[in-house]
C-alpha cells in the first residue's frame, strides 16, 4: 500500500467491526504502527498523547483483531475491519461514540426499537403494539401462528402482493413475540451463526 502520511507522519485509521459494520473508533498510525498492525494482526496506533506506539488492548486486554485493511481513494485514510475483544472505548463503551456495537439490520432494527418504545411508553388505547403486549404472551403467540398460516396460504397462490404483505405481518408479529420473550433478532442471528460452524 502506498500510504500518504500527513506532515506529522501520521495517517487516520477508522476502525470498523468486521461483523456488525459499526464504526468503533478513530486513531492515527505512523509507518511503524502500520507495519506492526499488518504483522501482528492487532490494531496498533501511534498515540499522540503518549508519544509512542500503542497496541489497542495492551493494558485492558480489549484487542482489535485485524480482519482486513483498506486504503481510501486518496490514499490518506485507512479503513481497518477488526473483531473487537470487549469494549473499544477506554471509558468502557462498545464504541467511542458511546453506542452499542450490536448488529444493525437496517429498517428492521428501527422497527425493533419502535416496538420496544411503544411497548414501554404507549397505552393499549394509543398503540396496536401496546394493546397486543397487554393481552399477554399467549395472544402474541397465537397472532404469530395466524400470520404464519396466512403466509402459507398466500404462498400457494399467485398474488405476490398479498404474499409479501402477509410475510411483513408475520415478521412484525414475530419481532413482538421475540421481545415478549426477552430477545431480539440479533439473538436469532447468533443461533444461526453457531449452526453454520457445525
Amino acid at each position: 500500500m502506498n500510504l500518504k502520511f500527513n506532515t506529522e507522519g501520521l495517517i487516520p485509521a477508522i476502525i470498523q467491526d468486521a461483523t456488525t459494520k459499526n464504526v468503533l473508533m478513530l486513531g492515527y498510525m505512523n509507518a511503524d504502527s502500520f507495519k506492526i498492525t499488518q504483522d501482528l494482526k492487532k490494531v496498533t496506533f501511534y498515540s499522540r498523547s503518549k508519544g509512542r506506539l500503542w497496541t489497542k488492548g495492551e493494558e485492558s486486554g480489549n484487542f482489535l483483531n485485524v480482519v482486513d485493511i483498506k486504503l481510501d481513494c486518496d490514499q490518506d485514510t485507512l479503513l481497518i475491519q477488526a473483531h473487537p475483544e470487549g469494549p473499544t472505548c477506554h471509558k468502557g463503551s462498545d464504541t467511542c461514540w458511546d453506542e452499542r456495537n450490536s448488529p444493525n439490520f437496517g429498517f428492521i432494527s428501527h422497527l425493533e426499537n419502535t416496538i420496544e418504545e411503544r411497548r414501554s411508553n404507549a397505552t393499549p388505547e394509543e398503540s396496536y403494539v401496546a394493546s397486543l403486549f397487554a393481552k399477554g404472551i399467549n395472544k402474541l403467540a397465537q397472532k404469530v401462528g395466524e400470520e404464519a398460516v396466512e403466509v402459507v396460504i398466500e404462498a400457494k397462490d399467485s398474488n405476490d402482493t398479498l404474499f409479501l404483505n402477509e410475510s411483513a405481518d408475520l415478521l412484525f408479529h414475530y419481532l413482538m413475540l421475540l421481545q415478549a420473550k426477552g430477545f431480539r433478532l440479533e439473538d436469532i442471528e447468533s443461533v444461526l451463526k453457531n449452526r453454520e460452524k457445525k
Side-chain angles (χ1 to χ4, degrees):
M1 286 186 179
N2 184 24
L3 307 184
K4 289 184 182 175
F5 296 96
N6 65 18
T7 55
E8 297 171 301
L10 301 174
I11 189 168
I14 300 163
I15 312 303
Q16 179 185 47
D17 187 298
T19 302
T20 67
K21 306 305 181 193
N22 293 324
V23 174
L24 303 175
M25 68 174 293
L26 169 70
Y28 289 86
M29 293 183 173
N30 64 11
D32 292 336
S33 64
F34 179 70
K35 181 166 181 4
I36 291 169
T37 297
Q38 284 184 305
D39 293 346
L40 297 182
K41 302 295 185 202
K42 303 268 186 209
V43 175
T44 301
F45 298 106
Y46 176 79
S47 172
R48 295 171 298 168
S49 58
K50 297 174 185 177
R52 66 172 177 85
L53 300 183
W54 164 66
T55 298
K56 175 72 179 93
E58 66 187 26
E59 295 169 8
S60 65
N62 298 329
F63 293 101
L64 293 167
N65 301 303
V66 175
V67 174
D68 190 30
I69 300 175
K70 295 177 180 160
L71 188 60
D72 79 336
C73 58
D74 293 324
Q75 299 177 309
D76 62 2
T77 304
L78 292 166
L79 175 64
I80 300 179
Q81 294 181 328
H83 289 307
E85 294 182 28
T88 298
C89 184
H90 69 283
K91 294 185 175 181
S93 59
D94 287 351
T95 78
C96 289
W97 290 270
D98 196 25
E99 294 176 332
R100 245 179 104 222
N101 183 23
S102 57
N104 186 337
F105 302 105
F107 179 76
I108 301 298
S109 293
H110 170 76
L111 187 57
E112 283 189 301
N113 293 336
T114 300
I115 289 169
E116 184 176 19
E117 191 275 326
R118 290 186 184 161
R119 177 187 185 187
S120 301
N121 300 319
T123 66
E125 295 75 31
E126 295 172 321
S127 162
Y128 172 73
V129 170
S131 69
L132 265 184
F133 276 108
K135 292 175 183 174
I137 190 81
N138 288 343
K139 183 62 178 174
L140 271 170
Q142 177 187 342
K143 192 67 180 161
V144 169
E146 291 171 4
E147 297 299 341
V149 169
E150 290 175 12
V151 168
V152 171
I153 291 168
E154 293 305 331
K156 298 171 111 184
D157 290 334
S158 59
N159 188 325
D160 290 343
T161 301
L162 286 176
F163 172 71
L164 289 174
N165 277 288
E166 293 301 343
S167 297
D169 288 346
L170 174 59
L171 179 57
F172 178 71
H173 289 91
Y174 178 63
L175 293 174
M176 283 196 282
L177 183 60
L178 276 176
Q179 286 195 30
K181 296 291 289 179
F183 300 109
R184 289 176 71 100
L185 201 54
E186 66 188 83
D187 298 299
I188 304 305
E189 182 190 46
S190 295
V191 172
L192 292 171
K193 282 182 178 177
N194 288 335
R195 287 180 183 176
E196 183 184 38
K197 295 173 186 172
K198 295 178 182 175

